[in-house]
Amino acid sequence: MSGPSPVAAPPAGPPAPDPVPALLADGLLTERLALAVPERTRVVVGRYEIPPGGELPWHYHEGRVVAVVTAGTLTRTLADGSECVTPAGECIVEPVGPLGVHKAENRGTETLAICAVFFLPDGSPLSTRAAAPEAAVRR
């Protein structure tokens, strides 16, 4: 009759280092972030690359989006026609819903890279195309 198998002793030496994540983006949030999400919230992480002169046309999001500009400079035009310029290393918090319509442009000379985390209602798209708001057209 045999007894339990002996358990091997761990190898001698220093302990293995803790796993380190691959950082996709690292930026500074400069505005307050209120994030209350219901159950069954869709969480998506995406990376956009926009060439010089390129843009993401007028759109809005059904949920909160937090993004870090990882290269280049992002210029967003908001629903009221105002512009926000965000350089690499800074974060943005996108407005929610149709009243928060906006567009994003790369007016620089290098590729714009953005890493975004979307908190969306289950079943909703990442973004919904929209017409340019009147306030932005008048400017």
Side-chain angles (χ1 to χ4, degrees):
M1 189 164 224
S2 62
S5 302
V7 176
D18 290 338
V20 178
L23 294 181
L24 301 179
D26 184 353
L28 180 64
L29 186 64
T30 59
E31 57 188 287
R32 185 177 173 89
L33 173 62
L35 186 61
V37 294
E39 287 184 38
R40 302 212 34 89
T41 293
R42 180 178 176 210
V43 179
V44 178
V45 178
R47 180 174 163 82
Y48 291 92
E49 289 190 0
I50 304 170
E55 71 174 30
L56 296 175
W58 288 99
H59 65 280
Y60 62 89
H61 309 282
E62 290 294 340
R64 180 65 64 206
V65 177
V66 180
V68 179
V69 177
T70 59
T73 300
L74 167 64
T75 300
R76 290 180 301 148
T77 305
L78 306 180
D80 64 1
S82 64
E83 292 186 347
C84 297
V85 176
T86 307
E90 290 190 14
C91 297
I92 60 170
V93 178
E94 296 280 32
V96 177
L99 295 178
V101 65
H102 57 280
K103 73 175 183 175
E105 298 175 85
N106 180 358
R107 297 180 183 170
T109 58
E110 67 177 286
T111 297
L112 168 63
I114 304 166
C115 185
V117 181
F118 298 78
F119 299 90
L120 303 167
D122 190 24
S124 68
L126 295 181
S127 63
T128 301
R129 286 272 186 104
E134 237 180 83
V137 173
R138 280 189 262 136
R139 284 186 158 238

